[in-house]
Amino acid sequence: MAGAMMKEGNQRQLEVNEFHNQVGYVSDPPANQIELFGSLIRGLNNCPLMHALRANHVMCNSCINTFWNTAKINRQGTGSIEATVQKTKIVVTETTIREVLRLGDQPHHPTLYDQARVQAALGRMSYEGGYPIVLKKLFPPYWRLF
């Protein structure tokens, strides 16, 4: 069975999907692999996305299904997703996602970088190909995991 039953107060039982989000803990690699993977793991541990990888939230299948069955895209204004779950209106925006995942960046920060900056970063990662086309197979093995 993919989920487990969880009682919500004195109401009904909800099916909880235990495998919806697996918590990720990135520990030090084995001593014989530290040269290859050490910098990658340090980078991941210092990444703003680590909260999103490590947070272990309980996800109820019925709530997820209800959300997506009632979801509508609001293309005016912020471009949000609006849905109703258990008679509660849920509004998901880019700002909400940034806050919940604790990305720590601001909406006015750049999301696109100039070509020279990207090429320099790829060079430091020992990428063997050209830019703008980036192929996973041209990265060294330890960067392919990222």
Side-chain angles (χ1 to χ4, degrees):
M1 182 168 145
M5 299 303 279
M6 181 174 124
K7 202 165 204 168
E8 183 183 274
N10 289 332
Q11 298 175 359
R12 59 191 170 109
Q13 292 198 354
L14 299 173
E15 184 179 344
V16 177
N17 190 343
E18 297 170 350
F19 304 107
H20 184 271
N21 286 333
Q22 291 293 311
V23 179
Y25 291 98
V26 184
S27 60
D28 291 331
N32 62 343
Q33 298 291 323
I34 200 149
E35 186 178 325
L36 287 175
F37 298 104
S39 64
L40 175 66
I41 290 173
R42 279 191 303 279
L44 283 173
N45 282 327
N46 293 327
C47 178
L49 293 175
M50 281 314 292
H51 171 75
L53 295 174
R54 290 182 176 157
N56 191 14
H57 301 288
V58 175
M59 302 301 291
C60 300
N61 288 338
S62 62
C63 293
I64 294 169
N65 292 336
T66 303
F67 176 86
W68 287 114
N69 288 335
T70 62
K72 292 185 170 85
I73 298 174
N74 180 358
R75 297 186 191 278
Q76 300 170 342
T78 60
S80 60
I81 300 173
E82 298 176 0
T84 304
V85 177
Q86 296 180 350
K87 299 179 185 175
T88 303
K89 185 175 181 178
I90 308 291
V91 179
V92 179
T93 63
E94 179 183 354
T95 305
T96 306
I97 293 170
R98 290 178 184 279
E99 288 172 5
V100 170
L101 296 181
R102 298 181 189 173
L103 297 180
D105 58 350
Q106 301 297 320
H108 64 275
H109 283 188
T111 55
L112 297 175
Y113 298 99
D114 63 281
Q115 187 171 353
R117 187 172 177 183
V118 174
Q119 283 179 323
L122 290 173
R124 288 191 304 273
M125 295 169 69
S126 302
Y127 180 68
E128 297 174 359
Y131 182 77
I133 298 172
V134 178
L135 300 173
K136 184 177 171 181
K137 67 181 181 180
L138 298 178
F139 280 103
Y142 50 93
W143 283 110
R144 289 180 199 165
L145 294 173
F146 185 61

